[in-house]
Amino acid sequence: MKILLLGSGAREHALAKALARSAQQPEIFCFATTYNPGLMELAAGYHVGDPCSRQEVLQMAQKWRTTMALIGPEAPLESGVADYLANHQIPTIGPTKALAQIETSKAFARNLLKKYKIPGSPEYRVFTGLDGAQDYLKYLGNNNFVIKANGLAGGKGVKVAGDHLHSLTDAYQYCVELDKKGQSFLIEEKLLGQEFSLLCFTDGYSTLPMPLVQDHKRAFVGNKGPNTGGMGSYTAANHRLPFLSNDDIRAALQINELTIQALMEEVGERYQGVIYGGFMATKDGIRLIEFNARFGDPEALNLLAILESDFLELCQSIIIGKLKPALVKFAPLATVCKYAVPEGYPDQPAKNQVIDLSAVKRPEQLYIAGLHKMDNKLFTTASRAAAVVGKAKSIPQAEKMAEEEINRIKGRLFHREDIGKNDLIQACIRQMQALRQIKTTTAAGEPL
Ligand code: AMP
Ligand code: GLY
């Protein structure tokens, strides 16, 4: 079995490691954007190019004689790489261009939910010009809006009142900025609560959940500082999150399931891959923030670390439309993932600094992201450097493992010591209880 893997971050390193564990012993060929030394070690072939160029990707797939493809990032999905490969007899894990609109157009996603009466959206409006924008901002009220560029923006298209926009003038100015670039945009009601990720595998017939994950986007301890690609994440041994009720979990899963059905009906194609709902638990229940049409980064690192079933067999079952629960088995373990990032990241990252991984004790739990190798030495880039995943019976044990391991990575780096720690998790639980005005401790009393 020869598999084409698109992308070259820590997520793809985790995907490659999961594939490499398969009993079928596949050969992995990587179409990358950077030289990732971790992936290069695992790959039978490695090519750096433009993963959005359908011809270039197909050319390499044919040269390597790969019989299946797995797409990591969103940009190639938007370019229709999955459609193109499938049309050339290379079945692909990752939705077609039309189906990927669930991620690539926020207006498409919100309008789909509205059309098919799927619950979970905040109040919103789509704007293709400035007409009515000021009135809608005023209607939502100061400090109560979020403005989003409609298309993919690498996580940088969203501005939130209070965090990034400090007045109606600021807000309107951002609308003008987007409009000048010819971008349509959404204005929506600002939601308050705890964010979490629910990823499901789907072959279009069955949509099966993975354990719930909480990511941490802010750069600094205490959820302070600028937004990043994600500084780390955790899952619990019972595959739930300590601040969510059964009803919350059911509601999130239902939104993912209904959306896959609605999306396929709307587009007339079958979805093959991962649907990732980014949710917010609020005082009024579960709300949808956005969908992604792929594995999350860092979520994939937590999830694949405890995937017990054969990942290749799982992918093959998705392709033939025979996905079933027995193929989606996760170990009852907690995981904590932490990213080591260059000093100054994300605004002024210390690039080209030497990194030493030689003290790492569990290389199987190390994932390389943005590091490059020269003269047998590793150097930082402007991106997150590497991640470690601790897995154990409880979140505190997994956190301890991750913390010990990340401290063995030497160089001008920093990480968030608080991710997965009891204090931070209890603060989430308290926030949800305060929002919902729950007086007795329920979830807070349970072991992590
Ligand atoms: P998105 O790209 O849609 O995931 O948005 C990026 C981030 O902006 C999310 O992870 C949230 O932290 C925040 N965000 C997006 N939409 C909302 C909303 N309606 N209310 C509050 N925060 C939001
Ligand atoms: N965890 C955020 C993302 O993958 O988009």
Side-chain angles (χ1 to χ4, degrees):
M1 192 69 198
K2 292 175 192 279
I3 301 169
L4 175 70
L5 174 62
L6 257 79
S8 48
R11 168 182 49 205
E12 288 73 25
H13 195 191
L15 289 167
K17 284 188 183 197
L19 287 171
R21 291 199 304 265
S22 166
Q24 297 175 46
Q25 298 187 316
E27 280 185 289
I28 299 159
F29 294 84
C30 189
F31 191 109
T33 46
T34 58
Y35 291 94
N36 179 324
L39 263 173
M40 287 171 87
E41 248 173 53
L42 289 175
Y46 202 92
H47 172 83
V48 173
D50 174 8
C52 296
S53 160
R54 297 179 305 174
Q55 288 85 354
E56 195 184 339
V57 173
L58 179 67
Q59 202 183 6
M60 291 312 295
Q62 289 175 335
K63 180 178 160 203
W64 285 327
R65 297 177 190 282
T66 56
T67 47
M68 191 187 107
L70 187 56
I71 300 182
E74 58 276 22
L77 297 174
E78 188 179 39
S79 303
V81 170
D83 316 38
Y84 201 68
L85 289 173
N87 288 340
H88 291 84
Q89 286 71 52
I90 302 172
T92 299
I93 298 290
T96 60
K97 181 184 171 80
L99 292 166
Q101 285 179 95
I102 198 67
E103 169 165 4
T104 60
S105 165
K106 292 180 194 293
F108 175 89
R110 287 269 181 245
N111 289 339
L112 185 86
L113 263 65
K114 187 190 251 174
K115 178 170 173 188
Y116 289 84
K117 300 190 168 48
I118 301 171
S121 283
E123 271 205 52
Y124 77 96
R125 227 181 255 180
V126 180
F127 293 87
T128 48
L130 293 166
D131 266 5
Q134 210 148 21
D135 288 343
Y136 195 59
L137 287 167
K138 277 191 199 137
Y139 160 77
L140 288 176
N142 229 345
N143 217 26
N144 193 36
F145 45 76
V146 176
I147 304 176
K148 304 181 166 186
N150 183 23
L152 289 180
K156 295 190 178 72
V158 177
K159 295 207 178 188
V160 180
D163 287 351
H164 316 99
L165 304 167
H166 300 286
S167 63
L168 283 172
T169 318
D170 267 10
Y172 189 65
Q173 199 47 48
Y174 184 49
C175 298
V176 172
E177 197 183 304
L178 290 172
D179 185 57
K180 270 197 188 138
K181 287 189 213 153
Q183 284 239 19
S184 55
F185 57 92
L186 286 80
I187 302 178
E188 50 184 57
E189 171 198 357
K190 178 177 159 182
L191 301 166
L192 210 62
Q194 282 298 322
E195 285 184 56
F196 64 95
S197 310
L198 173 59
L199 286 78
C200 295
F201 288 111
T202 184
D203 62 354
Y205 307 110
S206 309
T207 297
L208 302 176
M210 302 183 219
L212 291 152
V213 195
Q214 191 172 38
D215 182 13
H216 298 75
K217 294 205 166 102
R218 299 297 192 103
F220 309 135
V221 164
N223 291 326
K224 303 251 162 45
N227 274 327
T228 69
M231 292 296 289
S233 42
Y234 68 91
T235 65
N238 62 7
H239 300 167
R240 306 153 57 89
L241 287 169
F243 53 87
L244 295 179
S245 68
N246 286 340
D247 285 350
D248 292 333
I249 297 171
R250 260 196 298 274
L253 180 56
Q254 195 193 27
I255 292 172
N256 276 4
E257 287 169 346
L258 293 175
T259 299
I260 284 294
Q261 287 162 20
L263 176 59
M264 292 196 308
E265 190 178 326
E266 186 70 14
V267 167
E269 292 171 3
R270 182 164 75 90
Y271 196 109
Q272 301 177 181
V274 170
I275 180 81
Y276 159 169
F279 294 95
M280 177 100 79
T282 73
K283 68 175 174 30
D284 305 314
I286 294 303
R287 295 288 177 271
L288 176 91
I289 299 274
E290 64 158 359
F291 283 113
N292 295 315
R294 52 170 172 84
F295 264 110
D297 186 347
E299 288 90 338
L301 282 61
N302 299 81
L303 294 167
L304 293 168
I306 51 165
L307 180 69
E308 276 185 338
S309 34
D310 187 310
F311 184 47
L312 179 53
E313 201 184 339
L314 199 170
C315 292
Q316 288 163 329
S317 79
I318 288 177
I319 283 165
I320 59 170
K322 295 244 179 324
L323 178 66
K324 49 180 194 268
L327 294 167
V328 184
K329 288 272 176 254
F330 290 88
L333 294 174
T335 64
V336 173
C337 169
K338 299 199 187 210
Y339 258 105
V341 302
E343 279 178 12
Y345 173 85
D347 298 329
Q348 287 175 309
K351 292 190 263 183
N352 299 315
Q353 303 297 313
V354 178
I355 296 300
D356 179 5
L357 298 175
S358 61
V360 167
K361 281 212 178 129
R362 295 187 192 87
E364 71 283 2
Q365 290 177 26
L366 173 74
Y367 302 87
I368 309 287
L371 286 179
H372 69 96
K373 197 172 188 174
M374 223 169 37
D375 302 330
N376 248 350
K377 276 193 189 140
L378 291 171
F379 296 88
T380 55
T381 64
S383 311
R384 293 172 295 177
V388 298
V389 175
K391 57 175 180 176
K393 290 212 171 83
S394 68
I395 299 174
Q397 285 170 292
E399 192 279 333
K400 191 164 171 276
M401 277 173 81
E403 193 59 32
E404 280 169 8
E405 201 67 288
I406 205 158
N407 282 310
R408 296 188 184 113
I409 303 178
K410 302 295 177 208
R412 284 186 58 195
L413 299 166
F414 77 96
H415 69 274
R416 276 186 57 175
E417 298 91 24
D418 60 341
I419 292 172
K421 282 235 167 74
N422 202 32
D423 284 357
L424 195 62
I425 295 175
Q426 293 301 332
C428 294
I429 296 172
R430 280 197 305 276
Q431 189 209 10
M432 281 322 300
Q433 287 176 336
L435 280 174
R436 293 173 171 176
Q437 295 179 316
I438 302 170
K439 303 221 163 32
T440 50
T441 53
T442 44
E446 288 174 13
L448 301 173

